[in-house]
Amino acid sequence: MIVVEGVRFTYSGGVEALRDVSLTVKDGEFVAIMGQNGAGKTTLVKHFNGLLKPSKGTVRIDGVETTKTSIAKLSRTVGFVFQNPDHQLFSETVEEEIAFALKNFGFEEEVIQKQITWALNLLSLTQYRKTSPFMLSGGERKRVALASVLAWDPQILIMDEPTIGQDHEQKEKLRQFIVQLQAQEKTVVIVTHDVEFVAECNPRVVLMKEGKIVADGKGKDILTNLEALAQSSIVLPQIAQIFTQLAPLGLSRNVIDIYEAKDILLQAWGRRRT
Amino acid sequence: MFVAAILFGSILPLTALFLMQFPFVFLARVQRQWLRSLRGALFLAVFIFFTNFIFSFINAGYVIIASNVEFAVFFLTTSPDLLGLALEESHVPYEFSFAFTTAVRFVPVLAEEAQTIMDAQKARGLELEKGNFMKRIRNYIPVLIPLIVSAIRRSLELAEAMESRAWGATKKRTNLYGLTLHKGDFVLLGITMAILVVAFYVLLFVPVPTLTKLFL
């Protein structure tokens, strides 16, 4: 469980990136943190594994305050996948890349081999086991970066902009993959601008603006809340846009899911025909 | 002054040069940043002190401090664009002046990137401060490789982006701004030249006492 209480954070340059943020993420929850560039999203999640320590307030992971432990210890529980895979890939083969963290955490050789096989399989990278990560495409490198974090099976997974540079098929795989993690009661936190991806996943959405949380609730409610979205310069998901325009016909505006939209439209269609 | 700092190998003139920088630093109002770079240089110098101690060349570390902080004054007060422009107006080929300004300008970008990479690797359990001396150096491999790879990748992209904006299309370039020398510039030039001349004179003709001779 992640408990953030009254956190303020000021960068050494003097920029105040977080202004009194409080947030609780329960075990097994799926949260999307959204907001404009510079709203403080990445700064906030960097507090979850201790990369940044609050200037004021506290961040606790499973009851342990992040200021009282090391990043390495926290990372064992909190896996953090960075936005740009090129900021972490350095090994000669994909296999070694994934083994890096496992060695750092002091896993046994057998366990390392087992976890590598498992992680490669999970992200359909098995064929690249002995390939250099630098030879892979952008999307594949992103998956290697993800695999290299998932390999140690952290309880909490944080992903910064996981959909950037991914084609639609990969996004869909990522979505299914998160569903799978949810089934294992893992906590997933994503930082993203991708409104359509969030609409498809329908997680809890936390909206940030200028270092503060301005809205927090079900994806379906937040992503159809015109005022809250306008405040953080986020556009409605396409389905919500259609239903906003159809509102004068007496249809619900509160729709972001394709299948729900289809049902509502079919119902309305049927009413008109009879 | 940087040249002067390199000229001398012993402690007393270097200290004098070091103290001489204070008025410049305060005039330029960059005290805080200057102190920060002094701290950075000190770290490097302590390292060099230590290694050089074995070969008993204690002074080299001091050269680094005195010269490094002078570099800091220069780069804190001069924008890379103006520097490039100055080079260009002194008839240095544009290719060279451009390469120079680009290199200078990308230093902060690289520093920021290095920080991100360190964060990314720490998040994978890398502990940079762990282990003995050799192990600590090895700890930096996972930081250096991504840094170099992305710097190369970035420079290739930059070259493509520049070529698609007609870089080098005409031999004779025109500039939006010109540089002119003001009274203050000549004064500063005079002062620095004087310091350099005095430094040469001291080096060649004045026997500089060493610390040991001074105190024993």
Side-chain angles (χ1 to χ4, degrees):
Chain A
M1 191 154 93
I2 307 168
V3 182
V4 179
E5 273 174 340
V7 164
R8 288 174 175 276
F9 182 78
T10 311
Y11 280 101
S12 58
V15 182
E16 199 180 19
L18 295 178
R19 307 168 189 210
D20 197 13
V21 171
S22 294
L23 175 75
T24 302
V25 180
K26 294 200 199 82
D27 282 339
E29 236 181 335
F30 175 19
V31 182
I33 300 178
M34 304 186 75
Q36 279 171 284
N37 290 331
K41 310 181 294 287
T42 302
T43 308
L44 177 62
V45 291
K46 276 189 175 173
H47 277 81
F48 294 171
N49 68 343
L51 280 174
L52 296 176
K53 315 275 178 181
S55 310
K56 247 189 200 139
T58 57
V59 177
R60 271 173 290 152
I61 306 296
D62 296 336
V64 181
E65 224 177 286
T66 56
T67 45
K68 296 194 173 125
T69 181
S70 68
I71 301 170
K73 279 205 186 103
L74 280 168
S75 301
R76 184 67 189 80
T77 327
V78 187
F80 196 124
V81 186
F82 274 66
Q83 182 172 341
N84 187 347
D86 296 336
H87 283 155
Q88 62 167 76
L89 302 181
F90 72 98
S91 303
E92 273 174 60
T93 63
V94 168
E95 182 181 44
E96 283 171 45
E97 192 64 58
I98 297 174
F100 173 69
L102 300 172
K103 285 181 192 158
N104 285 335
F105 290 129
F107 284 82
E108 305 270 329
E109 188 56 37
E110 288 159 47
V111 182
I112 292 180
Q113 287 305 324
K114 213 182 79 194
Q115 290 300 101
I116 292 174
T117 310
W118 174 78
L120 287 174
N121 192 23
L122 200 63
L123 289 151
S124 24
L125 290 164
T126 308
Q127 51 179 328
Y128 300 125
R129 188 168 187 140
K130 303 279 182 195
T131 314
S132 159
F134 298 108
M135 303 295 289
L136 302 176
S137 74
E140 285 161 346
R141 287 206 297 274
K142 193 125 183 160
R143 258 151 54 208
V144 173
L146 181 55
S148 75
V149 171
L150 276 167
W152 74 82
D153 202 22
Q155 170 56 35
I156 301 168
L157 183 68
I158 299 163
M159 290 183 272
D160 195 354
E161 297 286 3
T163 60
I164 280 189
Q166 301 284 316
D167 59 30
H168 194 270
E169 196 190 338
Q170 286 308 327
K171 279 194 204 178
E172 179 54 25
K173 275 192 184 156
L174 180 69
R175 193 185 67 79
Q176 287 168 10
F177 177 67
I178 294 173
V179 171
Q180 214 176 315
L181 288 173
Q182 291 278 282
Q184 299 168 35
E185 303 270 294
K186 303 272 182 199
T187 311
V188 179
V189 179
I190 62 172
V191 169
T192 186
H193 282 112
D194 195 331
V195 183
E196 297 303 332
F197 182 73
V198 176
E200 276 173 40
C201 298
N202 196 13
R204 169 180 165 195
V205 173
V206 172
L207 219 54
M208 290 188 71
K209 192 203 175 185
E210 289 165 6
K212 284 185 187 146
I213 292 176
V214 287
D216 181 357
K218 282 186 188 152
K220 192 175 157 181
D221 297 329
I222 305 282
L223 289 183
T224 52
N225 182 340
L226 289 171
E227 288 151 46
L229 290 184
Q231 228 187 61
S232 0
S233 309
I234 292 176
V235 290
L236 284 171
Q238 291 182 354
I239 291 174
Q241 284 183 32
I242 295 175
F243 277 86
T244 307
Q245 303 206 1
L246 292 179
L249 300 179
L251 297 178
S252 159
R253 277 202 317 108
N254 199 9
V255 185
I256 54 169
D257 182 71
I258 296 180
Y259 299 100
E260 193 188 348
K262 187 196 77 182
D263 287 343
I264 293 175
L265 289 177
L266 275 180
Q267 235 176 29
W269 181 253
R271 267 209 309 268
R272 242 191 62 182
R273 304 237 320 202
T274 49
Chain B
M1 280 211 273
F2 175 66
V3 178
I6 294 264
L7 283 179
F8 290 100
S10 53
I11 288 178
L12 284 182
L14 282 174
T15 309
L17 278 172
F18 180 72
L19 294 176
M20 257 189 259
Q21 285 181 66
F22 287 133
F24 293 100
V25 173
F26 284 104
L27 266 177
R29 280 188 226 110
V30 286
Q31 303 92 322
R32 267 185 46 206
Q33 295 94 314
W34 184 79
L35 272 178
R36 215 179 300 155
S37 77
L38 179 64
R39 215 170 52 194
L42 204 66
F43 187 74
L44 192 67
V46 166
F47 176 74
I48 295 173
F49 264 136
F50 181 74
T51 44
N52 279 0
F53 191 71
I54 305 160
F55 307 102
S56 62
F57 292 124
I58 308 172
N59 289 329
Y62 212 59
V63 175
I64 294 285
I65 294 194
S67 57
N68 219 337
V69 286
E70 274 148 18
F71 253 134
V73 177
F74 181 64
F75 282 109
L76 286 172
T77 50
T78 316
S79 105
D81 289 323
L82 291 178
L83 194 60
L85 199 54
L87 283 176
E88 210 181 317
E89 290 195 356
S90 33
H91 303 288
V92 173
Y94 181 58
E95 283 83 358
F96 292 111
S97 69
F98 184 84
F100 179 74
T101 37
T102 313
V104 174
R105 195 171 321 146
F106 273 96
V107 169
V109 177
L110 275 182
E112 196 175 313
E113 194 152 275
Q115 187 58 50
T116 311
I117 293 170
M118 271 195 254
D119 282 352
Q121 305 299 34
K122 279 186 200 160
R124 295 205 293 161
L126 176 70
E127 287 173 287
L128 289 169
E129 311 299 324
K130 213 171 86 175
N132 59 26
F133 188 66
M134 285 314 287
K135 174 85 171 61
R136 278 188 201 195
I137 291 177
R138 263 203 309 264
N139 282 347
Y140 275 89
I141 294 175
V143 177
L144 285 175
I145 294 180
L147 190 63
I148 294 166
V149 168
S150 77
I152 294 172
R153 201 169 269 164
R154 185 199 308 277
S155 64
L156 292 177
E157 277 169 19
L158 184 69
E160 279 177 1
M162 277 163 44
E163 269 164 14
S164 25
R165 289 191 291 166
W167 194 80
T170 50
K171 275 274 162 275
K172 194 114 185 76
R173 290 182 80 256
T174 52
N175 276 315
L176 189 52
Y177 304 103
L179 286 179
T180 44
L181 284 170
H182 300 286
K183 213 158 77 185
D185 295 324
F186 287 111
V187 174
L188 185 72
L189 193 66
I191 295 175
T192 46
M193 287 314 274
I195 292 177
L196 194 62
V197 168
V198 172
F200 264 110
Y201 178 77
V202 171
L203 181 72
L204 294 175
F205 302 112
V206 184
V208 183
T210 60
L211 262 191
T212 37
K213 271 189 199 146
L214 209 65
F215 292 111
L216 291 177

